[in-house]
Amino acid sequence: MPDTFDLAVVGGGVLGLAHALAAARSGRRVVVVDREGRANGASVRMPGIVGVTGQPSGAAWRRAKRSRDVWADVAAQASVRIEHEGLAIVARRPEAASALEAFMATEMGEDCTLYTAEDGHALFPQFKGAMSAVFWSPHELRVEAKSAMPKIAAWLAEAHDVAFRWETAVTAIEGTRLTTSRGTIEAEAIVVCPGDDFRSLFGETLAKAGLVRAKSHMLRVRPEEGFELPGAVATDLSLIRLPGFAELPEASALRARLETEQPEHLAHGVALIATQSADDTLVLGASRQVDATPDPFQTQAIDELILEEFAAVFGKRPKAVLSRWTGTYAFNPERPVVVEAPAPNVRVVVAASGAGATGAFAIGEETIADLFGKG
Ligand SMILES: Cc1cc2nc3c(=O)[nH]c(=O)nc-3n(C[C@H](O)[C@H](O)[C@H](O)COP(=O)(O)OP(=O)(O)OC[C@H]3O[C@@H](n4cnc5c(N)ncnc54)[C@H](O)[C@@H]3O)c2cc1C
């Protein structure tokens, strides 16, 4: 006899868990199926920033805010530590300060502050390099992704009776039946959250979604004794990458200057993001190389570009690099969230923005409301 559920979720990454939570909260019996022994994709390789500021304006920004609130609630209930809150963007150039001034005039500038260089140096003594301004957003949360994911899965199992089938690949879906590498599962509704595997299930549907894969370099480093970040930290490079800033006309002058002054960073999609963990180590990223099949190599020269930007802000390099890794994620800047309905009871959901963890819990609520109705 196959197992029978109201909802089967394929994929135990953050997007799959978010769908499982939304369905379980609406009283559904849920199973999550993943071919790995635990989440091991983008959801544990990311720095874990639940970012609101920098999301595209409008619906995506509001979705990020809603999702951040659910993240805060989930973190409290699943014993996931919030490592730090807020985001500082160090404007190294006057053009970056101008883009930030323009951002402050939008609705997304709500509750954010733009400090002069003088005030910024006084408030954030960690920033030793030359700068034109410092922007502070209070909205962001940061979790340690690699430990947060198993904790959330364990909490879903315990508190919401969500069943998990790890080490189980789903090879076909027909009607209400999932064929897996370990027998069959029956579910009234099915949500597929395959991360950057757009080929194994509903490959024809996803081939039309314009998805590619983006590869990113990450490093864990040891800073000087006593070094403390105020929150997540980014620089000018993020202002031409994060859509909420990049879409502003004022970002053009900054882009032009960066093309002249940091062409190597731009060529490898490098934008510094620095975060800190409970053991005081820092997680640094990130690069972005887009390809159908990203190569598996972590090129030292790209890591150097990340470390160089770190030194430009903090005045020196970290004491030691402790580990390095790469991660890949689905990417389509034109469709940051891909939702397909290949059958009335099936949804395929891919976060394709490079910020899928941020919006995940709100996306999960939207899909479940769409599948089962809001009641
Ligand atoms: C280095 C890096 C940095 C990032 N930084 C951030 C950040 O700071 N903030 C942010 O919001 N986002 C960030 N992102 C993006 C974010 O990590 C992703 O958008 C998000 O984790 C995607 O979650 P997911 O559940 O869709 O995919 P994944 O985490 O990849 O999970 C997909 C799961 O589906 C399973 N699966 C696929 N097909 C099958 C099948 N047929 N049968 C069974 N199982 C299957 C896989 O095994 C996998 O576990 C970053 C990504 C990377 C790589």
Side-chain angles (χ1 to χ4, degrees), residues 15 20 24 33 46 56 63 74 79 92 103 126-127 146 151 167 242 263 289 291 297 300 338:
L15 209 56
V33 191
M46 60 160 182
R63 173 190 271 160
V74 168
S79 305
R92 297 181 52 212
F103 181 86
Q126 307 90 327
F127 303 152
K146 67 177 181 181
K151 282 185 181 173
E167 298 182 45
L242 295 171
Q289 297 158 280
D291 203 340
F297 308 113
Q300 169 68 9
V338 172

Side-chain angles (χ1 to χ4, degrees), residues 11 13-15 34-35 42-43 46-47 49 170 193-195 329 354-358:
V14 66
L15 209 56
D34 198 298
R35 63 179 162 221
S43 301
M46 60 160 182
I49 299 168
V170 177
C193 301
Y329 52 91
T358 290

Side-chain angles (χ1 to χ4, degrees), residues 6-334:
D6 297 320
L7 176 74
V9 178
V10 183
V14 66
L15 209 56
L17 299 191
H19 283 83
L21 174 63
R25 278 186 167 164
S26 68
R28 267 84 193 187
R29 185 158 147 62
V30 182
V31 63
V32 175
V33 191
D34 198 298
R35 63 179 162 221
E36 299 295 341
R38 59 179 182 279
N40 197 42
S43 301
V44 296
R45 296 167 192 233
M46 60 160 182
I49 299 168
V50 180
V52 172
T53 295
Q55 294 299 308
S57 54
W61 180 72
R62 285 189 288 276
R63 173 190 271 160
K65 281 179 81 169
R66 165 68 194 156
S67 198
R68 185 271 325 271
D69 292 346
V70 183
W71 261 108
D73 176 42
V74 168
Q77 297 197 45
S79 305
V80 171
R81 192 181 127 104
I82 301 293
E83 303 292 330
H84 48 67
E85 296 182 34
L87 165 72
I89 302 180
V90 180
R92 297 181 52 212
R93 298 169 177 81
E95 291 83 350
S98 301
L100 287 164
E101 263 169 43
F103 181 86
M104 290 296 292
T106 70
E107 68 163 336
M108 300 182 291
E110 184 186 273
D111 300 326
C112 299
T113 311
L114 187 60
Y115 296 102
T116 61
E118 199 184 355
D119 288 349
H121 278 300
L123 271 168
F124 305 107
Q126 307 90 327
F127 303 152
K128 308 273 192 227
M131 61 187 186
S132 295
V134 179
F135 167 89
W136 176 255
S137 159
H139 302 302
E140 284 60 40
L141 304 177
R142 194 242 159 188
V143 299
E144 189 75 74
K146 67 177 181 181
S147 55
M149 291 302 298
K151 282 185 181 173
I152 295 171
W155 168 71
L156 284 171
E158 268 172 48
H160 290 283
D161 204 22
V162 172
F164 282 87
R165 303 280 183 271
W166 297 106
E167 298 182 45
T168 305
V170 177
T171 52
I173 293 173
E174 265 176 85
T176 55
R177 174 163 295 218
L178 296 90
T179 305
T180 83
S181 53
R182 293 182 171 187
T184 56
I185 295 171
E186 282 285 340
E188 182 196 332
I190 299 162
V191 177
V192 181
C193 301
D196 67 342
D197 177 348
F198 350 110
R199 294 164 193 152
S200 300
L201 295 169
F202 302 108
E204 274 185 47
T205 305
L206 288 176
K208 295 181 195 132
L211 294 163
V212 288
R213 294 169 78 202
K215 170 190 162 191
S216 198
H217 284 213
M218 299 293 303
L219 302 97
R220 185 176 292 275
V221 302
R222 182 164 298 292
E224 298 291 326
E225 193 85 5
F227 180 91
E228 205 177 317
L229 288 182
V233 176
T235 67
D236 301 10
L237 291 160
S238 288
L239 298 177
I240 61 160
R241 172 154 150 175
L242 295 171
F245 298 106
E247 67 194 11
L248 296 168
E250 290 78 0
S252 314
L254 176 63
R255 186 175 294 106
R257 186 159 173 189
L258 289 171
E259 277 165 6
T260 311
E261 295 181 359
Q262 294 193 288
E264 281 291 292
H265 288 78
L266 269 47
H268 297 287
V270 170
L272 176 73
I273 184 76
T275 61
Q276 193 156 28
S277 299
D279 63 0
D280 289 341
T281 60
L282 308 179
V283 174
L284 306 186
S287 55
R288 179 188 283 159
Q289 297 158 280
V290 172
D291 203 340
T293 301
D295 71 50
F297 308 113
Q298 182 143 2
T299 313
Q300 169 68 9
I302 297 177
D303 291 356
E304 275 304 313
L305 295 171
I306 296 170
L307 292 166
E308 193 183 286
E309 187 73 359
F310 178 92
V313 175
F314 297 103
K316 58 166 81 162
R317 291 165 66 99
K319 260 171 84 178
V321 175
L322 303 175
S323 63
R324 302 166 192 260
W325 66 98
T326 62
T328 56
Y329 52 91
F331 191 57
N332 178 353
E334 306 302 320

Side-chain angles (χ1 to χ4, degrees), residues 350-366:
V350 178
S353 64
T358 290
F361 285 105
I363 296 168
E365 290 177 344
E366 290 163 23

